[in-house]
Amino acid sequence: MLKVQLKIIFPQTTTFSIITIIVLAVSILVKIGLCIFNGVTAKKINSSALKATAADCRNDAVVTTVVLIATIIERFTAVKLDAYFGLAVALFILCSGFMLVRETCSPILGKKNDDRLKNLILEKIKEYPIVIGYHDLMIHDYGPGISFCSIHFEIDKNLDPLYVHELIDKFEREFLQYGTNLTVHYDPVVIDSPELNKLKHAVISALINKDSRLAFHDFRSIPCDGFTKVFFDLPLPEDLVGQEKQITDIVNDALNGLGCGIYQAEITFDSVAFN
């Protein structure tokens, strides 16, 4: 930067030659060609790396064009713009570098919740009537054909485990054709217990009265010494973070208000992003 400042204050004459012009012009054409080729290929295979390469070639062509223009202007007008154009190029490179890092760092580090893949998974779930509900859907994308997903399926505990296992395996295999390694966690749930259903309805009413967005999963209960523990997972909206104790107290009041025993809620608060 100091060198650029000195050139602005004390302009220097740029060396001009036909060979320099030819070399710069050829370089620009080659870079434009590479930019087009990498850009088209990137779209075909959805490659962030090739998109970045195309952008890099485009930047090289722009920078070289600026240098060529500055050289020609100075040769025929005697106006010394080399330093000013150099400053503009430096700022352009900084901005372009920032944009390239922003576009490519997500696939390198792993990004979550690919909407296309998420919608595909949710559509495929509809073909499996045994799935009562799902939660904890996590997707990490590391580039074309390299993604890892996990999801929890809620399924009636009375179904044959071998039958359920085979269907889950089938569901996982179907996504290999999309270059996705999908893992399904099987959550057996009780759906035919009047007592548990009564507890569920009490909790649902209490949560809806608190906030209509609140909905739980993995609801179960375990008898303990003199009381019953009730477990479930609750996706918590961001604006309700910090109110976990208040929500737990509301649920405990609703359960113990039934008058059919002593209950203690054990709630796991999840992020809504995965539910």
Side-chain angles (χ1 to χ4, degrees):
M1 187 61 72
L2 178 60
K3 187 175 181 181
V4 172
Q5 291 174 339
L6 290 174
K7 280 194 173 184
I8 291 175
I9 299 171
F10 305 107
Q12 299 176 3
T13 303
T14 303
T15 303
F16 177 89
S17 71
I18 296 300
I19 295 178
T20 301
I21 299 298
I22 294 173
V23 170
L24 290 176
V26 171
S27 176
I28 292 168
L29 293 175
V30 170
K31 285 295 182 179
I32 290 174
L34 288 173
C35 176
I36 294 172
F37 173 77
N38 287 315
V40 171
T41 307
K43 287 182 180 179
K44 285 183 180 179
I45 66 174
N46 190 29
S47 170
S48 296
L50 280 180
K51 286 179 184 176
T53 303
D56 184 52
C57 292
R58 178 203 63 205
N59 294 346
D60 285 346
V62 170
V63 170
T64 307
T65 301
V66 169
V67 172
L68 180 59
I69 292 172
T71 302
I72 293 174
I73 290 176
E74 185 171 332
R75 172 66 177 81
F76 292 101
T77 66
V79 178
K80 295 179 171 56
L81 298 174
D82 182 53
Y84 295 98
F85 276 34
L87 179 60
V89 166
L91 293 174
F92 175 75
I93 290 174
L94 284 174
C95 292
S96 298
F98 173 77
M99 296 298 294
L100 285 175
V101 170
R102 191 176 70 173
E103 290 175 7
T104 59
C105 69
S106 290
I108 292 172
L109 298 176
K111 59 183 180 181
K112 64 180 181 181
N113 289 0
D114 178 340
D115 288 338
R116 179 193 61 82
L117 185 54
K118 177 182 177 180
N119 293 334
L120 184 62
I121 292 173
L122 299 187
E123 283 300 314
K124 187 62 68 174
I125 288 175
K126 295 177 182 178
E127 300 176 14
Y128 290 76
I130 67 166
V131 180
I132 299 170
Y134 79 91
H135 55 91
D136 291 349
L137 171 58
M138 290 182 278
I139 302 173
H140 292 273
D141 187 0
Y142 295 90
I146 310 174
S147 60
F148 297 87
C149 311
S150 64
I151 188 171
H152 289 225
F153 280 175
E154 296 175 18
I155 299 173
D156 183 357
K157 75 173 185 65
N158 295 317
L159 291 178
D160 183 353
L162 293 178
Y163 169 70
V164 173
H165 183 269
E166 178 54 37
L167 286 182
I168 286 176
D169 273 358
K170 180 175 181 291
F171 188 90
E172 292 173 339
R173 287 194 299 268
E174 287 193 66
F175 283 87
L176 291 175
Q177 63 182 305
Y178 303 108
T180 300
N181 296 278
L182 178 66
T183 300
V184 177
H185 177 79
Y186 167 33
D187 287 339
V189 294
V190 178
I191 63 173
D192 55 358
S193 168
E195 180 185 351
L196 195 62
N197 287 336
K198 186 177 181 180
L199 299 179
K200 280 184 180 180
H201 291 315
V203 173
I204 289 172
S205 298
L207 292 176
I208 288 177
N209 286 335
K210 167 63 179 173
D211 192 305
S212 60
R213 295 172 296 170
L214 296 176
F216 58 79
H217 55 79
D218 276 357
F219 195 93
R220 57 208 185 277
S221 66
I222 298 177
C224 298
D225 234 356
F227 69 97
T228 300
K229 268 198 173 185
V230 176
F231 300 86
F232 60 88
D233 294 4
L234 181 65
L236 194 64
E238 288 185 12
D239 58 315
L240 295 182
V241 173
Q243 300 185 35
E244 291 86 349
K245 185 180 184 305
Q246 181 186 351
I247 293 171
T248 302
D249 290 341
I250 290 172
V251 171
N252 279 328
D253 290 343
L255 290 171
N256 291 303
L258 294 172
C260 52
I262 301 173
Y263 297 93
Q264 179 183 324
E266 193 81 26
I267 307 174
T268 299
F269 292 95
D270 293 337
S271 168
V272 293
F274 304 127
N275 294 273

